[in-house]
Amino acid sequence: MMKNIFLVILIMTIVSSSFTSCSDFLETNSSTDINEDVALSNTSNLDKVLLATYKGLLMGGNVNSADRGLSGLTGMLSYYDLAGVDITAQSTIGTSEFTAYSFSDARTQAIGGYTAAVWTQFYDHINRCNIIIDALDDAIGSTDEKLTISGQAKAIRAISYFQLILNYQQTYNYAKTKRGVILRLHSNDPESMPFSTVEKVYTQIVKDLEDAKSELDGYDPDNVWRIRTDVVCAWLARVYQVMGNWDEALANAKIAYQAHSTLMTKDEWCSGFDDLIQNNVAELIWGYQNTDETNVGDGCPHAMWFNADPELADSEGYSPNIYSFHSYFVSQQWVDLFNNDLSDYRASRLNTTPEDVENDPSKSLTDSQVQSVMLWHRCGNSDFEIAHKWAYNKFKHYGVDNKCRPDICLIRASEMLLVMAESEANLGNTTTALGYLNTLQNARNVSVPTTTLIKEDLL
């Protein structure tokens, strides 16, 4: 593992050498080799290791293509929310796109196949973070530089362990004493180590995040993908929520929410979520930008959800073609979830309100007219299997050669509002909880906001 990381460093850095004679040239190390002591000797080099670790964490660039549907946080966060029979893929794909959102017993087994790739990718991030953290004491650099690198590395390690424990064991309060995953906290840990309990894993996750929260205090990077205190607090809110520690979930969600409390406008919400960073949308807490220079290629989760515009028939050899990979579709049941309140931005018949239909019945949309909806549209493909699914309308962010290059949002303030509402409800403060929920509902133009103060109903 130590050797592998330096190949990444070489990709991210320029190694220069001076050759003064033929003899000197023969004595010089290979241009594709770098001394480990040099690579870990200063904070500048360690930050480059951190940069490579970020790329793998966010985009999954170091994951085998066999499981690209679940690569990086981009893939995993989609999987947690979307897994189930409502999400389908064209059966002829036959690879990870077809199985990424399926529930099966094999998802909790790390003995090969797709799930092994989840195990491998997050331990890769953990091992890199351990190398960085262990090297910091002896590295050349200021105290502030060391703290910001340490804080980010600890946060990435905690996030990675959180993904592992979510995937390989049942939830915290039920499985505290059960076998969790392997806690590797140092770069020189032995190859073979025992599993730790779920409780010990969560204890380490919380410790790393709380350390990061302290070490990153005052850190204000230019790049939104860098982990800052508000990002750490958002992750703490997520972790404490799973643990059922409602006081801490509430406190950290409030901190994360404060700087991003201007919720998305209708135009921002309906724009497709593909340009939130470019347009400085305040609700975005954490995310990253894809460009033609920095993306990890088309074999990534957001590219698989990508749908080209219907009018771009034959753009990639299909007729008519409206999506890049013939990958992900949703069922009618999924679309119907959002149609109870047609004034809600999330309704499929976005441009038609109940008042519109009442005043002019001709505005009631038929299935064939729902081609213009914001979130989903009928595929319109000659293939029966494809034509009877709904295709996704978001991420129409074209780069060079019509490649998918959207901004990726990983945490938004609206999620923190929901954590705050859930926490207050569980603490018995249902009036305050309802206020948080109504704040979000009103921002999304819900025509009949929730009114109940009964805890179970509110939850």
Side-chain angles (χ1 to χ4, degrees):
M1 189 62 203
M2 285 291 288
K3 293 295 183 184
N4 292 340
I5 190 67
F6 300 117
L7 296 178
V8 180
I9 298 173
L10 289 167
I11 295 173
M12 308 304 296
T13 60
I14 298 174
V15 181
S16 60
S17 299
S18 297
F19 306 129
T20 57
S21 68
C22 181
S23 176
D24 289 338
F25 177 80
L26 294 175
E27 295 288 326
T28 305
N29 289 337
S30 165
S31 62
T32 59
D33 190 20
I34 186 169
N35 184 280
E36 293 183 9
D37 292 335
V38 173
L40 304 177
S41 64
N42 59 67
T43 52
S44 178
N45 282 351
L46 287 172
D47 191 61
K48 292 180 176 66
V49 183
L50 186 66
L51 178 64
T53 308
Y54 264 115
K55 186 170 184 179
L57 175 75
L58 299 177
M59 307 178 189
N62 60 331
V63 176
N64 189 298
S65 61
D67 202 23
R68 59 193 181 186
L70 302 179
S71 60
L73 287 177
T74 307
M76 296 310 301
L77 297 181
S78 298
Y79 166 62
Y80 298 145
D81 283 345
L82 300 177
V85 295
D86 288 342
I87 307 298
T88 61
Q90 186 180 206
S91 59
T92 55
I93 291 176
T95 57
S96 60
E97 295 92 330
F98 185 58
T99 59
Y101 295 113
S102 301
F103 285 125
S104 70
D105 292 341
R107 286 294 182 196
T108 62
Q109 300 169 4
I111 56 174
Y114 299 142
T115 309
V118 176
W119 179 275
T120 302
Q121 68 171 313
F122 287 107
Y123 272 112
D124 183 38
H125 311 327
I126 289 166
N127 290 338
R128 293 172 189 236
C129 289
N130 288 341
I131 291 169
I132 294 169
I133 294 167
D134 286 350
L136 276 171
D137 280 346
D138 296 328
I140 298 171
S142 69
T143 300
D144 285 346
E145 290 170 340
K146 292 183 179 183
L147 283 174
T148 56
I149 292 173
S150 174
Q152 291 170 84
K154 287 179 180 178
I156 291 174
R157 185 169 69 180
I159 292 166
S160 298
Y161 272 122
F162 192 41
Q163 307 317 302
L164 288 169
I165 201 65
L166 287 174
N167 276 275
Y168 296 105
Q169 188 48 274
Q170 296 176 343
T171 195
Y172 176 80
N173 283 321
Y174 173 79
K176 281 184 190 179
T177 60
K178 293 181 180 293
R179 189 181 83 168
V181 294
I182 301 169
L183 279 177
R184 295 184 174 275
L185 303 176
H186 299 285
S187 58
N188 60 353
D189 281 342
E191 184 174 339
S192 179
M193 295 181 65
F195 284 77
S196 295
T197 65
V198 169
E199 188 168 29
K200 287 183 178 179
V201 174
Y202 272 91
T203 297
Q204 184 62 46
I205 292 170
V206 169
K207 182 182 186 305
D208 273 347
L209 287 174
E210 292 289 359
D211 285 351
K213 183 177 175 181
S214 175
E215 292 173 358
L216 295 175
D217 185 34
Y219 178 54
D220 187 20
D222 294 331
N223 298 308
V224 69
W225 51 265
R226 290 272 190 180
I227 296 176
R228 313 168 305 274
T229 300
D230 55 345
V231 176
V232 174
C233 287
W235 278 103
L236 276 168
R238 287 174 167 178
V239 173
Y240 282 127
Q241 179 190 36
V242 172
M243 296 175 71
N245 186 334
W246 301 114
D247 285 313
E248 290 296 337
L250 176 62
N252 283 281
K254 281 184 174 181
I255 295 173
Y257 177 72
Q258 282 175 353
H260 307 274
S261 58
T262 301
L263 299 181
M264 297 164 73
T265 64
K266 177 179 179 179
D267 288 341
E268 288 172 339
W269 199 95
C270 296
S271 70
F273 290 81
D274 65 332
D275 56 5
L276 301 188
I277 298 173
Q278 178 180 328
N279 291 340
N280 296 312
V281 174
E283 187 177 326
L284 182 139
I285 296 176
W286 194 40
Y288 65 91
Q289 289 182 294
N290 283 277
T291 70
D292 292 312
E293 289 74 31
T294 64
N295 76 92
V296 294
D298 291 334
C300 54
H302 55 268
M304 295 172 195
W305 276 104
F306 169 78
N307 291 301
D309 292 305
E311 59 268 22
L312 294 180
D314 295 318
S315 62
E316 296 182 42
Y318 300 96
S319 179
N321 177 61
I322 60 167
Y323 33 79
S324 179
F325 280 89
H326 286 64
S327 294
Y328 294 140
F329 312 102
V330 300
S331 68
Q332 184 67 50
Q333 289 172 301
W334 177 281
V335 175
D336 288 344
L337 288 173
F338 302 98
N339 283 346
N340 291 330
D341 183 355
L342 297 185
S343 66
D344 190 322
Y345 300 163
R346 296 164 293 185
S348 292
R349 294 165 176 80
L350 182 68
N351 297 319
T352 305
T353 67
E355 292 77 16
D356 291 334
V357 176
E358 184 177 349
N359 295 331
D360 184 359
S362 67
K363 290 187 177 181
S364 179
L365 301 181
T366 64
D367 275 350
S368 62
Q369 292 172 315
V370 184
Q371 295 291 333
S372 61
V373 298
M374 194 281 293
L375 283 178
W376 311 99
H377 59 264
R378 286 289 194 189
C379 299
N381 193 285
S382 58
D383 185 293
F384 180 86
E385 178 187 24
I386 301 172
H388 286 77
K389 300 294 191 295
W390 290 87
Y392 200 39
N393 273 352
K394 290 189 180 183
F395 291 144
K396 293 187 177 73
H397 196 280
Y398 301 111
V400 175
D401 298 326
N402 286 342
K403 301 299 183 182
C404 185
R405 303 289 183 260
D407 296 349
I408 300 296
C409 175
L410 296 170
I411 304 178
R412 284 189 291 137
S414 52
E415 178 193 347
M416 296 298 105
L417 264 180
L418 290 173
V419 175
M420 291 154 62
E422 183 180 0
S423 299
E424 291 283 20
N426 278 290
L427 292 169
N429 305 320
T430 55
T431 300
T432 306
L434 179 63
Y436 289 140
L437 179 59
N438 287 164
T439 296
L440 180 56
Q441 290 177 328
N442 292 335
R444 300 294 178 256
N445 203 38
V446 174
S447 60
V448 184
T450 303
T451 58
T452 183
L453 289 174
I454 300 172
K455 176 182 173 179
E456 290 73 17
D457 295 340
L458 184 57
L459 285 169

